[in-house]
Amino acid sequence: MVIIRIKGTVMIETLQKFSPAIVSHKMDLKLEAKTVNAFFGKTQALQNVSLSIEKNHVVAIIGPSGCGKSTFLRCLNRMHEVAGGTMNGTILLDGKDIHENDPVNLRRRVGMVFQKANPFPTMSIFDNVAAGLRLNGMAHNGHIAEIVERSLQQAALWNEVKDSLSKNGMSISGGQQQRLCIARALAVNPEVLLMDEPASALDPIPTAKIEELIYELKKDYTIIIVTHNMQQAARVSDETAFFYLGEIIEFDNTKKIFTAPSIKQTEDYVTGRFG
Amino acid sequence: MNVQVEQKIAFSILFLCTLLVVVPVLIILVIIFVKGAGALNLGFLFEMPTNGMTEGGIFPAILGTLYLVLGALFFAVPLGVLSAIYLVEYSQETVLSRIVKLAIVNLAGVPSVVYGLFGLGIFVLFLGFGASILSGSLTLGIMILPVIITSSREALESVPQSFRIVSLSLGASKWQTIRHSVLPHALPGILTGTILGIGRAAGETAPILFTVAAFYLPKLPQSMFDQTMALPYHLYVISTQVPGIPETIRYGTALVLLLLVLIMNLAAIILRYQFRRRKKW
Ligand SMILES: Nc1ncnc2c1ncn2[C@@H]1O[C@H](COP(=O)(O)OP(=O)(O)OP(=O)(O)O)[C@@H](O)[C@H]1O
Ligand SMILES: [Mg+2]
């Protein structure tokens, strides 16, 4: 616990030192949303959302319940249409419109971790991680065991489960299950990781683990994380977007959002005066 | 006190009614067992009937029922499971899909003799298959289709939505998702429906009456365009149409048919129970 705390502090300091510099560099954009509107039937869940996300950055999305955070995430990997919604506007991944290509390909590149840890309940730990590989026919390359180990290591779970890979995926703790789900998403080798409140059901210690993990993963992935926890957003993200009633109210450097937001609503929200 | 007496009376009436449901089933079972068990031996199961069906076994009827059940499954299972997959996984809630669902529910309520007449009209006469195993299998297949579709639909619907969502989010296609993340979990339920369908197909007389069943055949059917004897119709014949059949043969035949259906239903119940117990979501 102590170690984790210390690491957390170091992390924030590093982040504060370097983030402004990175922002002022030439931007290497991974994802761009341009005037995205999303609907469920006739109700509009997102309005004119525009957002640019740099490669290897962590972007936190905050905002009160029902403001469209999950909907926005689902637009990014086209799971919004699976949920029965429609959208318009443009979303670019590496400069290419995600709607011009097969959603199946897109989802391999843009992985997702859900709020509630949801390992496949009938599968072992190993099979859970391998599920994505097998599902989309990447299994035949014979490296499954290697990929499973690498993914579990990336998800900081390997040491805890390496002797019980054949145990059921539901037999481990909630925090471990969530990291298992992260490993499962990583196994198909995505470029972007979408996390919808990945730690909201967890106690402080597993939450800290996940945050630490996000910091590690950032080296290889671009991460967008929805969170209700202001401290968490402040700790893990480079930029923060504040959503309210389906619109982006403010999107800026995380430090700025939490110390000197330019819009009153943002300030009220991050200081806990509404929400 | 009054309340207690009232309660006792209500309880007794409920208990009696429940007993009344069980008693006839038990009586039927016991009578058939007692009177028919004497006939049961390998010869009875595996020999041809001889001497105007008054002696010998009932092998052709057993074999015929087996053919018919397999034939019915051959048509009904793929068709039923695939249309259930379509209804649950692909179709939107449109007027059309509601009409289809309504039709399936109603199909389950159609009297079996109507299926028999339908089979006679379509398969025997119109398509010219004649009275044959093919016509009988198709008719039975249509009769058990609603059972299979309904149980397959329920099985598919009971697979948690999150399995599909996770699978799709991992980059699996819709079909891969259905094939690998949904169907395996629905399989026990589908199997249960199939077994119930077998029980129903094996036991019904009316659908095979005009489409396949033969009164008596000296030899076994050679192809699917031949007629065949079948257990339920054979039982009807030896019980009502031919005088002088020994009672043990009649009850023995009934017992074989009953055991077949009971075993099938029992298998379905056990399977469903196992499925519920193993289910982890
Ligand atoms: N499947 C759905 N069908 C219809 N409306 C939906 C659906 N999912 C979400 N909505 C609506 O869209 C809006 C945005 O929902 P969304 O789930 O994106 O909010 P959220 O910001 O993630 O909230 P929370 O913090 O509670 O998770 C809400 O008004 C919600 O009622
Ligand atoms: Mg949400």
Side-chain angles (χ1 to χ4, degrees), chain A residues 53-244:
Chain A
I53 295 166
E54 283 177 72
K55 197 161 185 246
N56 296 84
H57 273 218
V58 176
V59 171
I61 296 181
I62 57 171
S65 186
C67 67
K69 306 182 292 294
S70 302
T71 305
F72 181 64
L73 278 203
R74 284 194 297 260
C75 285
L76 297 178
N77 64 348
R78 292 184 61 182
M79 289 300 282
H80 180 60
E81 52 203 73
V82 173
T86 53
M87 65 157 281
N88 60 46
T90 318
I91 295 175
L92 304 176
L93 175 66
D94 285 335
K96 291 210 185 63
D97 192 331
I98 61 168
H99 286 93
E100 277 172 10
N101 259 314
D102 189 7
V104 169
N105 267 326
L106 171 71
R107 290 179 198 135
R108 286 182 201 169
R109 298 175 62 193
V110 183
M112 190 164 208
V113 176
F114 300 83
Q115 173 170 5
K116 199 170 152 283
N118 50 7
F120 290 114
T122 51
M123 289 186 196
S124 68
I125 292 173
F126 184 97
D127 289 344
N128 258 289
V129 181
L133 300 170
R134 290 185 178 143
L135 274 171
N136 49 46
M138 290 148 84
H140 47 73
N141 60 19
H143 301 310
I144 293 197
E146 251 168 70
I147 297 175
V148 167
E149 176 173 349
R150 191 204 64 206
S151 309
L152 283 168
Q153 256 161 2
Q154 278 183 307
L157 186 60
W158 176 250
N159 288 330
E160 290 156 65
V161 300
K162 64 169 183 261
D163 299 318
S164 50
L165 291 175
S166 57
K167 279 211 316 202
N168 188 279
M170 302 289 276
S171 66
I172 48 181
S173 77
Q176 290 173 324
Q177 284 181 24
Q178 192 57 294
R179 277 178 285 148
L180 178 61
C181 294
I182 294 174
R184 180 176 65 187
L186 295 178
V188 291
N189 202 19
E191 300 155 34
V192 179
L193 206 53
L194 309 174
M195 302 177 129
D196 196 349
E197 305 186 43
S200 69
L202 301 180
D203 290 334
I205 294 176
T207 299
K209 278 222 152 187
I210 301 246
E211 289 177 10
E212 215 187 327
L213 174 62
I214 291 171
Y215 187 67
E216 286 297 318
L217 290 175
K218 179 181 143 172
K219 291 169 191 152
D220 300 314
Y221 305 91
T222 305
I223 297 172
I224 304 163
I225 176 172
V226 169
T227 177
H228 267 123
N229 179 326
M230 294 309 117
Q231 287 81 17
Q232 184 169 67
R235 279 193 300 262
V236 303
S237 68
D238 300 296
E239 284 88 32
T240 298
F242 172 56
F243 277 58
Y244 184 56

Side-chain angles (χ1 to χ4, degrees), chain A residues 33-50:
Chain A
K34 292 178 179 169
T35 58
V36 168
N37 295 289
F39 306 84
F40 287 102
K42 286 198 178 65
T43 37
Q44 187 158 6
L46 289 178
Q47 259 183 63
N48 260 326
V49 172
S50 297

